Amino acid sequence: MESSRIHKLQLLENEARSCQRCDLSATRNRVVFSSGVHSYGLVVVGEAPGASEDRDGLPFVGRSGQLITRLIEEEIGLARDNYYITNVIKCRPPSNRKPNSVEIAACSVFLTGQLELLNSQVILAVGEVAARVLTRLKTSVGSMRGQVHAMGGAKVVVTYHPAYALRGGKAIEQAMRSDLRVVGGLLDGE
Ligand code: URA
């Protein structure tokens, strides 16, 4: 990735670190902007930081995050340092409630900027909030899975939120694994 894009991403991150666009800024401990690299073709977009992410300042480090990270490694062969991870919302909603539409709109400048600058070919949307934002559809994850959506020039694959797999058991995990194999196939085709 060219250095000017990396610089612009850094500026966007600096802006997010002092953001007060919505009320989540009053209750967060850390802004969780991203982790991973920009050089590979995959961007993973989750919902919002949970307690562990809010504590560490990194996405996908709690129980749910560890599950999706392991599944990506097992199904696509990529360790978490090899792709870019972010969330729709950069600050933790209190008690891990779902982010509301005001918060999603306030934070959209960051996700839109990240995706434009990264210009990634394949985006994995994790859970309903990310899936709806990225596909602009208002349906369930179940009905958005099993097809490749387009967002600008990028291909978007939708999968369940790992918290659902932690509650819902092996069938959900198997479905997630199958979604990840679709992502792997798209990356191989690059
Ligand atoms: N951790 C995150 O950072 N985002 C999620 O969507 C789930 C877990």
Side-chain angles (χ1 to χ4, degrees), residues 32 45-50 53 58-62 64-65 85-87 126 161-162:
V32 179
V45 181
E47 180 173 311
E53 289 80 14
L58 290 169
F60 283 31
V61 292
S64 290
I85 313 173
T86 191
N87 285 303
V126 178
H161 194 286

Side-chain angles (χ1 to χ4, degrees), residues 124-128 131 135 137 139-149 156-161 164 171-182:
L124 175 66
V126 178
E128 187 178 272
T135 64
L137 299 171
T139 51
S140 66
V141 171
S143 60
M144 287 186 255
R145 291 181 56 242
Q147 53 190 303
V148 178
H149 304 263
V156 178
V157 175
V158 169
T159 197
Y160 292 114
H161 194 286
Y164 183 43
I172 307 299
E173 186 181 310
Q174 288 310 327
M176 292 176 75
R177 286 183 184 275
S178 129
D179 299 332
L180 295 174
R181 287 194 289 273
V182 173

